[in-house]
Amino acid sequence: MEKKKNRIDWAIIGSIVGIIIGIPLFILFISLSFKMCLNDLGKHKLDYVSGDLLYAYNNANTKETVSITGISEEGAKKEHIYFPSEIEGLPVTGVYKFIVGKVFSCKWNNAVCKKIYMQKNFDVEYAYLSKCEKLQKILVIEVDINESVGWDCALYEYGGYVANDILEILKSNAKEVFYKKALPANISYNYNYEDSENYGVYFIDDCDYGNKIEYIPANPTREGYTFDGWYKEPECINKWNFESDTLPEEVKEVNENNEEEVKFQETKLYAKWNH
């Protein structure tokens, strides 16, 4: 009986020692894990500023690509914001906030933004832009006709616009299922030389008929040439005056359903190049 009692005592003592040693080790493990998680969280959470935009690295270790995570204090004061295809020389993959495997809405800092011009059809959903309360239109300049749409929010929650010529190409290439909600932009800026990229379209906009163009895009570039302004015809005879020229007045017409609607009228502007 004494022998059995000794075994029981040693078992109890062993359990107590295990608990005494195990609890601190467990606490240490949890603390280290939590610290590593916070460090990783901090890497992804950090927003960098580039002009009007906030951005973050998609992978804080490799720093190969970035995503747009919101609007800077400077950008929050502007009604027109441009989303480039590159920031600090790195490709932009989308518009979202990525933190340790989760996606959050972007920072908009009480932005007054009404239009966003996207260079490409970035990966973006409504939730990412929902805090930009005054946003009315999203204009996508370059659209890959071989891929499905990535800007669902532009098509279904806002006015999603592409160049009229490109929209016709999309529809003719059996992409209407993706782009049936897209709208034609009523202003297009054209490179105006053969074999130019993006089907010849440099920039697009959509403004109220009878009004002036409010936002003037950055000047295009062409190797070996200097840009000499935007003109009303390909021959570059009459220069567009942004201070006084206006879009054509609104015209209404009756459609095939016997409903009155605003007639689409496109204003095309052409770049002049000096060699």
Side-chain angles (χ1 to χ4, degrees), residues 29 48 51 72 182 200 202 211 237 240 261:
F29 173 77
Y48 298 87
S72 67
Y202 168 68
N211 286 4
I237 300 170
W240 184 271
E261 63 182 10

Side-chain angles (χ1 to χ4, degrees), residues 151-272:
W151 38 292
D152 296 341
C153 71
L155 295 179
Y156 296 100
E157 302 294 340
Y158 304 98
Y161 294 80
V162 298
N164 184 48
D165 290 346
I166 294 179
L167 184 57
E168 293 301 319
I169 295 172
L170 291 169
K171 291 180 178 179
S172 66
N173 279 269
K175 294 295 180 180
E176 188 172 2
V177 63
F178 298 120
Y179 296 96
K180 62 182 179 181
K181 292 286 185 179
L183 300 170
N186 63 10
I187 302 169
S188 67
Y189 296 79
N190 298 273
Y191 284 108
N192 201 25
Y193 62 88
E194 290 185 4
D195 299 324
S196 54
E197 58 187 306
N198 196 38
Y199 304 97
V201 177
Y202 168 68
F203 201 81
I204 60 172
D205 206 341
D206 191 84
C207 297
D208 292 339
Y209 292 113
N211 286 4
K212 299 177 185 177
I213 296 174
E214 298 176 345
Y215 180 76
I216 304 174
N219 291 341
T221 58
R222 180 184 177 189
E223 188 174 354
Y225 293 80
T226 57
F227 174 70
D228 189 29
W230 295 107
Y231 286 75
K232 301 178 183 180
E233 57 283 300
E235 297 77 17
C236 298
I237 300 170
N238 298 291
K239 193 170 187 178
W240 184 271
N241 189 327
F242 288 94
E243 294 184 0
S244 60
D245 285 332
T246 61
L247 271 63
E249 294 294 329
E250 181 182 288
V251 175
K252 291 187 177 180
E253 59 183 7
V254 178
N255 61 25
E256 57 185 13
N257 297 320
N258 203 32
E259 299 171 337
E260 191 176 61
E261 63 182 10
V262 177
K263 179 182 177 181
F264 174 76
Q265 301 177 77
E266 184 178 12
T267 297
K268 287 190 172 186
L269 302 180
Y270 300 87
K272 181 179 180 180

Side-chain angles (χ1 to χ4, degrees), residues 68 83-86 92-95 117-124 140 149-152:
I68 294 169
F83 285 1
S85 56
E86 290 187 354
V92 175
T93 60
V95 182
Y117 304 88
M118 292 184 180
Q119 186 63 39
K120 294 185 177 180
N121 52 324
F122 297 130
D123 180 13
V124 53
V140 183
V149 71
W151 38 292
D152 296 341

Side-chain angles (χ1 to χ4, degrees), residues 69-106:
T69 59
I71 302 294
S72 67
E73 291 184 5
E74 180 182 346
K77 303 172 186 177
K78 300 180 179 180
E79 294 186 346
H80 305 85
I81 299 292
Y82 172 65
F83 285 1
S85 56
E86 290 187 354
I87 294 179
E88 305 299 334
L90 297 175
V92 175
T93 60
V95 182
Y96 43 78
K97 183 78 166 179
F98 177 82
I99 303 177
V100 193
K102 295 182 179 180
V103 175
F104 298 84
S105 60
C106 299

Side-chain angles (χ1 to χ4, degrees), residues 95 108 116 124-132 135 138 153 158:
V95 182
W108 293 98
I116 290 177
V124 53
E125 295 181 8
Y126 172 68
Y128 310 154
L129 302 179
S130 60
K131 296 294 178 67
C132 190
L135 182 60
I138 295 176
C153 71
Y158 304 98

